[in-house]
Amino acid sequence: MSGQSTVEFLLVAMALAAVCLGMGALWRAARDGRLLALASEAATHNTAAGVVRALKDIMAF
């Protein structure tokens, strides 16, 4: 049973590393402005298509 603790430690260490890498990727995306660009593209009330279309979209709610 001595190998069980080693395997559990490895799994926990890999999960922690994955979380740290994911947070680092989010940090870089936010710092570079890519996260903001993706959020504004995904917004339902994007005014780049025109003010009239944006107002129609807002009034639909």
Side-chain angles (χ1 to χ4, degrees):
M1 292 248 176
S2 64
Q4 180 181 353
S5 61
T6 304
V7 171
E8 289 176 0
F9 176 77
L10 180 64
L11 289 174
V12 170
M14 288 175 54
L16 181 63
V19 169
C20 289
L21 286 173
M23 290 177 68
L26 282 174
W27 180 271
R28 284 182 62 109
R31 186 185 62 191
D32 295 343
R34 286 182 285 171
L35 195 60
L36 181 62
L38 288 172
S40 64
E41 287 177 17
T44 57
H45 306 299
N46 193 353
T47 58
V51 175
V52 175
R53 185 171 176 195
L55 288 175
K56 285 182 182 179
D57 189 27
I58 292 170
M59 292 306 219
F61 286 104

